[in-house]
Amino acid sequence: MKTVISLALLSIACSAAADVQNIKYVYDDSDAVYSIVSSVDSGTAIQATVQRSGAYFTNYTKLELDCANRNVRHMGMYNSLSGVEKAQFDQMQGRIIDGSIADEVGKVLCKDTTLTASQVAPQTEDLPTETPTDDNT
C-alpha cells in the first residue's frame, strides 16, 4: 500500500515539475536557477510567478506583464509561494528593461501576444514632392 501511495505522489510531483519552465537569467548568482512556476493570462496582461533557487535559499516574486506596451508591475520577493500569492501588485507600472527578469519572462510568455512595430504604427514612406515648373520661360 505504501508503494502505491509513493508512486502516486511521485507521478503528481513529476507532472507538476513539468509545468515549471526554466529561463536564462544571470544577475546576482551564476549558480541560481530562475523558473516560471505559474502564469495566468488576465486579459490585457500576463501574471507570472518566478522562482529563484540558489545555493542558500529559494524565493518567489510575481510579475504582471503588459506585453503589447512592454510594461511591468512587480510584487515584493517572498520565501514561499503562499506569501507571494497573498501580496498585492505595486500600483505603478514601469517599462520592461532589456536584460531584466521581466524581459526574460516576457521573451517566454509574450511571444504570441506582442505587437510588432508595423502593427502599432504602420510605416509610411516619404514621397518626394513635385514642384510646378513654368514652361513659358
Side-chain angles (χ1 to χ4, degrees), residues 105-136:
V105 171
K107 287 176 184 176
V108 174
L109 298 179
C110 292
K111 60 186 166 194
D112 294 330
T113 62
T114 52
L115 299 175
T116 63
S118 62
Q119 290 171 313
V120 174
Q123 300 286 328
T124 58
E125 293 182 21
D126 292 332
L127 299 175
T129 55
E130 293 183 25
T131 55
T133 58
D134 186 17
D135 291 337
N136 295 336

Side-chain angles (χ1 to χ4, degrees), residues 56-136:
Y56 301 106
F57 60 91
T58 297
N59 55 19
Y60 302 87
T61 190
K62 195 173 218 179
L63 307 171
E64 183 177 68
L65 302 170
D66 175 352
C67 297
N69 296 310
R70 288 198 39 89
N71 288 327
V72 63
R73 288 193 314 158
H74 289 272
M75 296 173 73
M77 196 169 285
Y78 296 86
N79 293 328
S80 69
L81 279 173
S82 61
V84 78
E85 292 301 324
K86 293 176 189 174
Q88 298 294 316
F89 280 109
D90 290 345
Q91 293 301 311
M92 295 180 57
Q93 279 191 347
R95 298 292 295 160
I96 294 176
I97 307 295
D98 289 341
S100 67
I101 189 68
D103 185 40
E104 296 303 320
V105 171
K107 287 176 184 176
V108 174
L109 298 179
C110 292
K111 60 186 166 194
D112 294 330
T113 62
T114 52
L115 299 175
T116 63
S118 62
Q119 290 171 313
V120 174
Q123 300 286 328
T124 58
E125 293 182 21
D126 292 332
L127 299 175
T129 55
E130 293 183 25
T131 55
T133 58
D134 186 17
D135 291 337
N136 295 336

Side-chain angles (χ1 to χ4, degrees), residues 1-15:
M1 181 68 174
K2 289 181 183 180
T3 304
V4 173
I5 292 172
S6 297
L7 290 175
L9 291 175
L10 181 62
S11 67
I12 291 169
C14 289
S15 66

